[in-house]
Amino acid sequence: MNIAVIPARGGSKRIPRKNIKTFCGRPMIAWSILAAQQSGLFERIIVSTDDEEIAEVARAWGAEAPFVRPPELSDDYAGTTEVIAHATRWLEDQGQVVSAVCCIYATAPLIHAQDLKRGFEVLQSGDWAYAFSVAEFSPSVYRAFQALPEGGLAMLFPQYFSTRSQDLPVALHDAAQFYWGRPGAWTQGLRIFDRHSMPVAIPRWRVQDIDDMDDWIRAEMIFKQMTSDQTQ
């Protein structure tokens, strides 16, 4: 049995009520639920939340909210792995035989059902603990520099100062859309960014963290262009 778990706590501060704020005509979380539904991969789509309004919105869009996330997993310091581990243990305590659990972020409106399918295929391609969405840094992280306390600048990777951009190592970052994992990987707290994980590449233009309103506006612009292209 494959399970999707969408973490969605109620205490967002930088964008209040972010998980259910209207994004391009629907509650933000609805886009993640719809992608999970459209993938056809999941027997159950569960929203892990501490907030009854979020739970009601989730149910209205076809997901389940069968438990209340405990307070110790609902503050600003709760990690994704711990939240998904809690949901996985809850399912196992209910007698569910779970083969894979996919964490889908509630604030991932640019996610595609096809990417979820690719992620599952990658997880199944070997003895991997996780398979998750990544994108390439742009510009390259190897060109990064920092301001020094006494003034002036210093490159973080000075050994690459003279390296042509096309010859720089490819650096990836978390695309923050989905994380497929084995049940045991979640419950044992295995680190996601490690050798037992496989990357699933997402185009850079379709990756956007949504932490403040500038991010929100940019994501809406991308989403509108993306859906416009699909209808033409």
CSV table of all heavy atoms in Angstrom, one decimal, residues 66-124:
chain,number,residue,atom,x,y,z
A,66,PRO,N,-7.3,11.9,9.6
A,66,PRO,CA,-7.9,11.0,10.6
A,66,PRO,C,-7.3,11.1,12.0
A,66,PRO,O,-7.8,10.4,12.9
A,66,PRO,CB,-7.5,9.6,10.0
A,66,PRO,CG,-6.2,9.9,9.3
A,66,PRO,CD,-6.3,11.3,8.7
A,67,PHE,N,-6.3,12.0,12.2
A,67,PHE,CA,-5.8,12.1,13.6
A,67,PHE,C,-5.4,13.6,13.7
A,67,PHE,O,-5.2,14.3,12.7
A,67,PHE,CB,-4.6,11.2,13.8
A,67,PHE,CG,-3.5,11.3,12.8
A,67,PHE,CD1,-2.6,12.4,12.9
A,67,PHE,CD2,-3.4,10.4,11.8
A,67,PHE,CE1,-1.6,12.5,11.9
A,67,PHE,CE2,-2.3,10.5,10.8
A,67,PHE,CZ,-1.4,11.6,10.9
A,68,VAL,N,-5.2,14.0,14.9
A,68,VAL,CA,-4.7,15.3,15.3
A,68,VAL,C,-3.2,15.2,15.6
A,68,VAL,O,-2.8,14.4,16.4
A,68,VAL,CB,-5.4,16.0,16.5
A,68,VAL,CG1,-4.8,17.3,16.8
A,68,VAL,CG2,-6.9,16.1,16.2
A,69,ARG,N,-2.4,16.0,14.8
A,69,ARG,CA,-0.9,15.9,15.1
A,69,ARG,C,-0.6,16.4,16.5
A,69,ARG,O,-1.1,17.5,16.9
A,69,ARG,CB,-0.2,16.7,14.0
A,69,ARG,CG,1.3,16.4,14.0
A,69,ARG,CD,2.1,17.5,13.3
A,69,ARG,NE,1.8,17.7,12.0
A,69,ARG,CZ,2.4,18.6,11.2
A,69,ARG,NH1,3.3,19.4,11.7
A,69,ARG,NH2,2.0,18.8,9.9
A,70,PRO,N,0.2,15.7,17.2
A,70,PRO,CA,0.5,16.1,18.6
A,70,PRO,C,1.2,17.4,18.7
A,70,PRO,O,1.9,17.8,17.7
A,70,PRO,CB,1.3,15.0,19.2
A,70,PRO,CG,1.9,14.2,18.0
A,70,PRO,CD,0.8,14.4,16.9
A,71,PRO,N,1.0,18.2,19.8
A,71,PRO,CA,1.7,19.5,19.9
A,71,PRO,C,3.2,19.5,19.7
A,71,PRO,O,3.7,20.5,19.2
A,71,PRO,CB,1.3,19.9,21.3
A,71,PRO,CG,0.0,19.1,21.7
A,71,PRO,CD,0.2,17.8,20.9
A,72,GLU,N,3.9,18.5,20.2
A,72,GLU,CA,5.3,18.4,20.1
A,72,GLU,C,5.8,18.3,18.7
A,72,GLU,O,7.0,18.5,18.4
A,72,GLU,CB,5.9,17.3,20.9
A,72,GLU,CG,5.5,15.9,20.5
A,72,GLU,CD,4.2,15.4,21.2
A,72,GLU,OE1,3.4,16.3,21.7
A,72,GLU,OE2,4.0,14.2,21.2
A,73,LEU,N,4.9,18.0,17.7
A,73,LEU,CA,5.2,17.9,16.3
A,73,LEU,C,4.6,19.1,15.5
A,73,LEU,O,4.5,19.0,14.3
A,73,LEU,CB,4.8,16.6,15.7
A,73,LEU,CG,5.6,15.4,16.3
A,73,LEU,CD1,5.0,14.1,15.6
A,73,LEU,CD2,7.1,15.5,16.0
A,74,SER,N,4.1,20.1,16.2
A,74,SER,CA,3.4,21.2,15.6
A,74,SER,C,4.0,22.5,15.8
A,74,SER,O,3.4,23.5,15.4
A,74,SER,CB,1.9,21.2,16.1
A,74,SER,OG,1.3,19.9,15.8
A,75,ASP,N,5.2,22.6,16.4
A,75,ASP,CA,5.8,23.9,16.6
A,75,ASP,C,6.8,24.2,15.4
A,75,ASP,O,6.9,23.5,14.4
A,75,ASP,CB,6.5,24.0,17.9
A,75,ASP,CG,7.6,23.0,18.1
A,75,ASP,OD1,8.1,22.5,17.0
A,75,ASP,OD2,8.0,22.7,19.2
A,76,ASP,N,7.5,25.3,15.5
A,76,ASP,CA,8.4,25.8,14.5
A,76,ASP,C,9.6,24.9,14.3
A,76,ASP,O,10.3,25.0,13.3
A,76,ASP,CB,8.8,27.2,14.8
A,76,ASP,CG,7.7,28.2,14.7
A,76,ASP,OD1,6.7,27.9,14.0
A,76,ASP,OD2,7.9,29.3,15.2
A,77,TYR,N,9.8,24.0,15.3
A,77,TYR,CA,11.0,23.2,15.2
A,77,TYR,C,10.8,21.7,14.8
A,77,TYR,O,11.7,21.0,14.7
A,77,TYR,CB,11.7,23.2,16.6
A,77,TYR,CG,12.1,24.6,17.0
A,77,TYR,CD1,11.3,25.3,17.9
A,77,TYR,CD2,13.2,25.3,16.6
A,77,TYR,CE1,11.6,26.6,18.3
A,77,TYR,CE2,13.6,26.6,16.9
A,77,TYR,CZ,12.7,27.2,17.8
A,77,TYR,OH,13.0,28.5,18.1
A,78,ALA,N,9.6,21.4,14.6
A,78,ALA,CA,9.2,20.0,14.2
A,78,ALA,C,9.8,19.7,12.8
A,78,ALA,O,9.6,20.5,11.8
A,78,ALA,CB,7.7,19.8,14.2
A,79,GLY,N,10.5,18.6,12.6
A,79,GLY,CA,11.1,18.3,11.4
A,79,GLY,C,10.2,17.4,10.5
A,79,GLY,O,9.3,16.7,11.0
A,80,THR,N,10.4,17.5,9.2
A,80,THR,CA,9.6,16.7,8.3
A,80,THR,C,9.7,15.2,8.6
A,80,THR,O,8.6,14.5,8.6
A,80,THR,CB,10.0,17.0,6.8
A,80,THR,OG1,9.7,18.3,6.5
A,80,THR,CG2,9.2,16.1,5.9
A,81,THR,N,10.9,14.7,8.8
A,81,THR,CA,11.0,13.3,9.1
A,81,THR,C,10.2,12.8,10.3
A,81,THR,O,9.6,11.8,10.2
A,81,THR,CB,12.5,12.9,9.3
A,81,THR,OG1,13.3,13.4,8.1
A,81,THR,CG2,12.7,11.4,9.4
A,82,GLU,N,10.3,13.6,11.4
A,82,GLU,CA,9.5,13.2,12.5
A,82,GLU,C,8.0,13.2,12.3
A,82,GLU,O,7.3,12.3,12.8
A,82,GLU,CB,9.8,14.2,13.7
A,82,GLU,CG,11.3,14.1,14.2
A,82,GLU,CD,12.3,14.8,13.4
A,82,GLU,OE1,11.9,15.5,12.4
A,82,GLU,OE2,13.5,14.7,13.7
A,83,VAL,N,7.5,14.2,11.5
A,83,VAL,CA,6.1,14.3,11.2
A,83,VAL,C,5.6,13.1,10.4
A,83,VAL,O,4.6,12.5,10.7
A,83,VAL,CB,5.8,15.6,10.5
A,83,VAL,CG1,4.3,15.6,10.0
A,83,VAL,CG2,6.0,16.8,11.5
A,84,ILE,N,6.4,12.7,9.4
A,84,ILE,CA,6.0,11.6,8.5
A,84,ILE,C,6.2,10.3,9.3
A,84,ILE,O,5.4,9.4,9.1
A,84,ILE,CB,6.8,11.6,7.2
A,84,ILE,CG1,6.7,12.9,6.5
A,84,ILE,CG2,6.4,10.5,6.3
A,84,ILE,CD1,5.3,13.4,6.2
A,85,ALA,N,7.2,10.2,10.2
A,85,ALA,CA,7.4,9.0,11.0
A,85,ALA,C,6.1,8.8,11.9
A,85,ALA,O,5.7,7.7,12.1
A,85,ALA,CB,8.6,9.1,11.8
A,86,HIS,N,5.6,9.9,12.5
A,86,HIS,CA,4.4,9.8,13.3
A,86,HIS,C,3.3,9.2,12.5
A,86,HIS,O,2.5,8.3,13.0
A,86,HIS,CB,4.1,11.2,13.9
A,86,HIS,CG,2.8,11.2,14.5
A,86,HIS,ND1,1.6,11.7,13.9
A,86,HIS,CD2,2.3,10.9,15.8
A,86,HIS,CE1,0.6,11.6,14.7
A,86,HIS,NE2,1.0,11.2,15.9
A,87,ALA,N,3.0,9.8,11.3
A,87,ALA,CA,1.9,9.3,10.5
A,87,ALA,C,2.1,7.8,10.1
A,87,ALA,O,1.2,7.0,10.0
A,87,ALA,CB,1.8,10.2,9.2
A,88,THR,N,3.4,7.5,9.8
A,88,THR,CA,3.6,6.1,9.4
A,88,THR,C,3.4,5.1,10.5
A,88,THR,O,2.7,4.1,10.3
A,88,THR,CB,5.1,6.0,8.9
A,88,THR,OG1,5.4,6.9,7.9
A,88,THR,CG2,5.4,4.5,8.5
A,89,ARG,N,3.8,5.5,11.7
A,89,ARG,CA,3.5,4.6,12.9
A,89,ARG,C,2.0,4.6,13.2
A,89,ARG,O,1.5,3.5,13.6
A,89,ARG,CB,4.3,5.2,14.1
A,89,ARG,CG,5.8,5.1,14.0
A,89,ARG,CD,6.4,5.4,15.4
A,89,ARG,NE,7.9,5.5,15.3
A,89,ARG,CZ,8.6,6.6,15.1
A,89,ARG,NH1,8.0,7.8,15.1
A,89,ARG,NH2,9.9,6.5,15.0
A,90,TRP,N,1.3,5.7,13.0
A,90,TRP,CA,-0.1,5.6,13.2
A,90,TRP,C,-0.8,4.6,12.3
A,90,TRP,O,-1.6,3.9,12.7
A,90,TRP,CB,-0.7,7.0,13.0
A,90,TRP,CG,-2.2,7.1,13.2
A,90,TRP,CD1,-2.8,7.4,14.4
A,90,TRP,CD2,-3.2,6.9,12.3
A,90,TRP,NE1,-4.2,7.4,14.3
A,90,TRP,CE2,-4.5,7.1,13.0
A,90,TRP,CE3,-3.2,6.6,10.9
A,90,TRP,CZ2,-5.7,6.9,12.3
A,90,TRP,CZ3,-4.5,6.5,10.3
A,90,TRP,CH2,-5.7,6.6,11.0
A,91,LEU,N,-0.4,4.6,11.0
A,91,LEU,CA,-0.9,3.7,10.0
A,91,LEU,C,-0.6,2.3,10.4
A,91,LEU,O,-1.5,1.4,10.3
A,91,LEU,CB,-0.3,4.0,8.6
A,91,LEU,CG,-0.9,5.3,7.9
A,91,LEU,CD1,0.1,5.8,6.9
A,91,LEU,CD2,-2.3,5.0,7.3
A,92,GLU,N,0.6,2.0,10.8
A,92,GLU,CA,1.0,0.7,11.2
A,92,GLU,C,0.3,0.2,12.4
A,92,GLU,O,-0.1,-1.0,12.5
A,92,GLU,CB,2.5,0.6,11.4
A,92,GLU,CG,3.3,0.8,10.1
A,92,GLU,CD,4.8,0.9,10.3
A,92,GLU,OE1,5.2,1.1,11.4
A,92,GLU,OE2,5.5,0.7,9.3
A,93,ASP,N,0.0,1.1,13.4
A,93,ASP,CA,-0.8,0.8,14.5
A,93,ASP,C,-2.2,0.4,14.2
A,93,ASP,O,-2.9,-0.3,14.9
A,93,ASP,CB,-0.8,2.0,15.5
A,93,ASP,CG,0.6,2.1,16.2
A,93,ASP,OD1,1.4,1.2,16.1
A,93,ASP,OD2,0.8,3.2,16.8
A,94,GLN,N,-2.7,1.0,13.0
A,94,GLN,CA,-4.0,0.7,12.6
A,94,GLN,C,-4.1,-0.7,11.8
A,94,GLN,O,-5.1,-1.0,11.3
A,94,GLN,CB,-4.6,1.8,11.7
A,94,GLN,CG,-4.6,3.2,12.3
A,94,GLN,CD,-5.5,3.2,13.5
A,94,GLN,OE1,-6.7,2.8,13.4
A,94,GLN,NE2,-5.0,3.7,14.6
A,95,GLY,N,-2.9,-1.3,11.7
A,95,GLY,CA,-2.9,-2.6,11.0
A,95,GLY,C,-2.7,-2.5,9.5
A,95,GLY,O,-2.8,-3.5,8.8
A,96,GLN,N,-2.3,-1.3,9.0
A,96,GLN,CA,-2.1,-1.1,7.6
A,96,GLN,C,-0.7,-1.6,7.2
A,96,GLN,O,0.3,-1.4,7.9
A,96,GLN,CB,-2.1,0.4,7.3
A,96,GLN,CG,-3.4,1.1,7.6
A,96,GLN,CD,-4.5,0.7,6.6
A,96,GLN,OE1,-4.4,1.0,5.5
A,96,GLN,NE2,-5.5,0.1,7.2
A,97,VAL,N,-0.6,-2.3,6.1
A,97,VAL,CA,0.7,-2.8,5.6
A,97,VAL,C,1.1,-1.8,4.5
A,97,VAL,O,0.6,-1.7,3.4
A,97,VAL,CB,0.5,-4.2,4.9
A,97,VAL,CG1,1.8,-4.7,4.4
A,97,VAL,CG2,0.0,-5.2,6.0
A,98,VAL,N,2.1,-1.0,4.9
A,98,VAL,CA,2.6,0.1,4.1
A,98,VAL,C,3.8,-0.3,3.4
A,98,VAL,O,4.8,-0.7,4.0
A,98,VAL,CB,2.8,1.4,5.0
A,98,VAL,CG1,3.2,2.5,4.1
A,98,VAL,CG2,1.5,1.7,5.8
A,99,SER,N,3.9,0.0,2.1
A,99,SER,CA,5.1,-0.3,1.3
A,99,SER,C,5.9,0.9,1.0
A,99,SER,O,7.1,0.8,1.0
A,99,SER,CB,4.7,-1.0,0.0
A,99,SER,OG,3.8,-0.3,-0.7
A,100,ALA,N,5.3,2.0,0.9
A,100,ALA,CA,6.0,3.3,0.6
A,100,ALA,C,5.1,4.5,1.1
A,100,ALA,O,3.9,4.4,1.0
A,100,ALA,CB,6.3,3.5,-0.8
A,101,VAL,N,5.8,5.5,1.6
A,101,VAL,CA,5.1,6.7,2.1
A,101,VAL,C,5.7,7.9,1.4
A,101,VAL,O,7.0,8.0,1.4
A,101,VAL,CB,5.3,6.9,3.6
A,101,VAL,CG1,4.6,8.1,4.1
A,101,VAL,CG2,4.7,5.6,4.4
A,102,CYS,N,4.9,8.7,0.8
A,102,CYS,CA,5.4,9.9,0.1
A,102,CYS,C,4.9,11.1,0.8
A,102,CYS,O,3.7,11.4,0.9
A,102,CYS,CB,4.9,9.9,-1.4
A,102,CYS,SG,5.5,11.2,-2.4
A,103,CYS,N,5.9,11.9,1.3
A,103,CYS,CA,5.6,13.2,1.9
A,103,CYS,C,5.4,14.2,0.7
A,103,CYS,O,6.3,14.3,-0.1
A,103,CYS,CB,6.7,13.6,2.8
A,103,CYS,SG,6.6,15.3,3.3
A,104,ILE,N,4.3,14.8,0.7
A,104,ILE,CA,4.1,15.9,-0.3
A,104,ILE,C,3.8,17.2,0.4
A,104,ILE,O,2.9,17.3,1.3
A,104,ILE,CB,2.9,15.6,-1.2
A,104,ILE,CG1,3.0,14.2,-1.9
A,104,ILE,CG2,2.6,16.7,-2.3
A,104,ILE,CD1,1.8,13.8,-2.7
A,105,TYR,N,4.6,18.2,0.2
A,105,TYR,CA,4.4,19.4,0.9
A,105,TYR,C,3.1,20.1,0.5
A,105,TYR,O,2.7,20.1,-0.7
A,105,TYR,CB,5.6,20.4,0.7
A,105,TYR,CG,6.8,20.1,1.5
A,105,TYR,CD1,8.0,20.6,1.2
A,105,TYR,CD2,6.7,19.4,2.7
A,105,TYR,CE1,9.1,20.4,2.0
A,105,TYR,CE2,7.7,19.1,3.5
A,105,TYR,CZ,9.0,19.6,3.2
A,105,TYR,OH,10.1,19.4,4.0
A,106,ALA,N,2.5,20.7,1.5
A,106,ALA,CA,1.2,21.4,1.2
A,106,ALA,C,1.4,22.6,0.4
A,106,ALA,O,0.4,23.1,-0.2
A,106,ALA,CB,0.5,21.8,2.6
A,107,THR,N,2.6,23.2,0.4
A,107,THR,CA,2.8,24.4,-0.4
A,107,THR,C,3.7,24.1,-1.6
A,107,THR,O,4.7,24.7,-1.8
A,107,THR,CB,3.6,25.4,0.5
A,107,THR,OG1,4.7,24.8,1.1
A,107,THR,CG2,2.6,25.9,1.6
A,108,ALA,N,3.2,23.1,-2.4
A,108,ALA,CA,3.9,22.7,-3.6
A,108,ALA,C,2.9,22.8,-4.8
A,108,ALA,O,2.7,21.7,-5.5
A,108,ALA,CB,4.5,21.3,-3.4
A,109,PRO,N,2.4,23.9,-5.1
A,109,PRO,CA,1.4,24.0,-6.2
A,109,PRO,C,1.9,23.7,-7.6
A,109,PRO,O,1.2,23.5,-8.5
A,109,PRO,CB,0.8,25.4,-6.1
A,109,PRO,CG,2.0,26.2,-5.5
A,109,PRO,CD,2.6,25.3,-4.5
A,110,LEU,N,3.3,23.8,-7.7
A,110,LEU,CA,3.9,23.5,-9.0
A,110,LEU,C,4.2,22.1,-9.3
A,110,LEU,O,4.8,21.7,-10.3
A,110,LEU,CB,5.2,24.4,-9.2
A,110,LEU,CG,5.0,25.9,-8.9
A,110,LEU,CD1,6.3,26.6,-9.1
A,110,LEU,CD2,3.9,26.5,-9.8
A,111,ILE,N,3.8,21.2,-8.3
A,111,ILE,CA,4.1,19.8,-8.5
A,111,ILE,C,3.3,19.2,-9.6
A,111,ILE,O,2.1,19.6,-9.9
A,111,ILE,CB,3.8,19.1,-7.1
A,111,ILE,CG1,4.4,17.7,-7.1
A,111,ILE,CG2,2.3,19.1,-6.8
A,111,ILE,CD1,4.3,17.0,-5.7
A,112,HIS,N,3.8,18.2,-10.2
A,112,HIS,CA,3.1,17.4,-11.3
A,112,HIS,C,2.9,16.0,-10.8
A,112,HIS,O,3.8,15.4,-10.2
A,112,HIS,CB,3.9,17.4,-12.6
A,112,HIS,CG,3.8,18.7,-13.4
A,112,HIS,ND1,4.4,18.8,-14.6
A,112,HIS,CD2,3.2,19.9,-13.1
A,112,HIS,CE1,4.2,20.0,-15.1
A,112,HIS,NE2,3.5,20.7,-14.2
A,113,ALA,N,1.8,15.4,-11.2
A,113,ALA,CA,1.5,14.0,-10.9
A,113,ALA,C,2.6,13.1,-11.5
A,113,ALA,O,3.0,12.1,-11.0
A,113,ALA,CB,0.1,13.6,-11.4
A,114,GLN,N,3.0,13.5,-12.7
A,114,GLN,CA,4.0,12.7,-13.4
A,114,GLN,C,5.3,12.7,-12.6
A,114,GLN,O,6.0,11.7,-12.7
A,114,GLN,CB,4.3,13.3,-14.8
A,114,GLN,CG,5.1,12.4,-15.7
A,114,GLN,CD,4.5,11.0,-15.9
A,114,GLN,OE1,3.3,10.9,-16.1
A,114,GLN,NE2,5.4,10.0,-15.9
A,115,ASP,N,5.7,13.7,-11.9
A,115,ASP,CA,6.9,13.7,-11.1
A,115,ASP,C,6.7,12.8,-10.0
A,115,ASP,O,7.7,12.1,-9.6
A,115,ASP,CB,7.2,15.1,-10.6
A,115,ASP,CG,7.5,16.1,-11.7
A,115,ASP,OD1,8.0,15.7,-12.7
A,115,ASP,OD2,7.2,17.3,-11.5
A,116,LEU,N,5.6,12.7,-9.4
A,116,LEU,CA,5.3,11.7,-8.3
A,116,LEU,C,5.5,10.3,-8.9
A,116,LEU,O,6.1,9.4,-8.2
A,116,LEU,CB,3.9,11.8,-7.8
A,116,LEU,CG,3.7,13.1,-7.0
A,116,LEU,CD1,2.2,13.3,-6.7
A,116,LEU,CD2,4.5,13.1,-5.7
A,117,LYS,N,5.1,10.0,-10.1
A,117,LYS,CA,5.2,8.7,-10.7
A,117,LYS,C,6.7,8.4,-10.9
A,117,LYS,O,7.2,7.3,-10.7
A,117,LYS,CB,4.5,8.7,-12.0
A,117,LYS,CG,3.0,8.7,-11.9
A,117,LYS,CD,2.3,8.7,-13.2
A,117,LYS,CE,0.8,8.7,-13.1
A,117,LYS,NZ,0.1,8.7,-14.5
A,118,ARG,N,7.4,9.4,-11.4
A,118,ARG,CA,8.9,9.2,-11.6
A,118,ARG,C,9.6,9.0,-10.3
A,118,ARG,O,10.5,8.1,-10.2
A,118,ARG,CB,9.5,10.5,-12.3
A,118,ARG,CG,9.1,10.6,-13.8
A,118,ARG,CD,10.0,11.6,-14.5
A,118,ARG,NE,10.0,13.0,-13.9
A,118,ARG,CZ,11.1,13.6,-13.4
A,118,ARG,NH1,12.2,13.0,-13.4
A,118,ARG,NH2,10.9,14.8,-12.9
A,119,GLY,N,9.2,9.7,-9.3
A,119,GLY,CA,9.8,9.5,-8.0
A,119,GLY,C,9.6,8.0,-7.5
A,119,GLY,O,10.5,7.4,-6.9
A,120,PHE,N,8.4,7.5,-7.7
A,120,PHE,CA,8.1,6.2,-7.2
A,120,PHE,C,8.9,5.2,-8.0
A,120,PHE,O,9.5,4.2,-7.4
A,120,PHE,CB,6.6,5.9,-7.3
A,120,PHE,CG,6.2,4.5,-6.9
A,120,PHE,CD1,6.4,4.1,-5.5
A,120,PHE,CD2,5.7,3.6,-7.7
A,120,PHE,CE1,6.0,2.9,-5.1
A,120,PHE,CE2,5.3,2.3,-7.3
A,120,PHE,CZ,5.5,2.0,-5.9
A,121,GLU,N,9.1,5.4,-9.3
A,121,GLU,CA,9.9,4.5,-10.1
A,121,GLU,C,11.3,4.5,-9.7
A,121,GLU,O,12.0,3.4,-9.6
A,121,GLU,CB,9.8,4.9,-11.6
A,121,GLU,CG,8.4,4.6,-12.2
A,121,GLU,CD,8.2,5.2,-13.6
A,121,GLU,OE1,9.2,5.9,-14.0
A,121,GLU,OE2,7.2,5.1,-14.2
A,122,VAL,N,11.8,5.7,-9.3
A,122,VAL,CA,13.2,5.8,-8.9
A,122,VAL,C,13.4,5.1,-7.5
A,122,VAL,O,14.4,4.3,-7.3
A,122,VAL,CB,13.6,7.3,-8.8
A,122,VAL,CG1,15.0,7.4,-8.0
A,122,VAL,CG2,13.7,7.9,-10.1
A,123,LEU,N,12.5,5.2,-6.6
A,123,LEU,CA,12.5,4.5,-5.3
A,123,LEU,C,12.6,3.0,-5.5
A,123,LEU,O,13.3,2.3,-4.9
A,123,LEU,CB,11.3,4.9,-4.5
A,123,LEU,CG,11.3,4.3,-3.1
A,123,LEU,CD1,12.4,4.9,-2.2
A,123,LEU,CD2,9.9,4.4,-2.4
A,124,GLN,N,11.8,2.5,-6.5
A,124,GLN,CA,11.7,1.1,-6.8
A,124,GLN,C,12.8,0.6,-7.6
A,124,GLN,O,13.0,-0.7,-7.7
A,124,GLN,CB,10.4,0.8,-7.5
A,124,GLN,CG,9.1,1.2,-6.7
A,124,GLN,CD,8.9,0.3,-5.5
A,124,GLN,OE1,9.4,0.6,-4.4
A,124,GLN,NE2,8.2,-0.8,-5.7
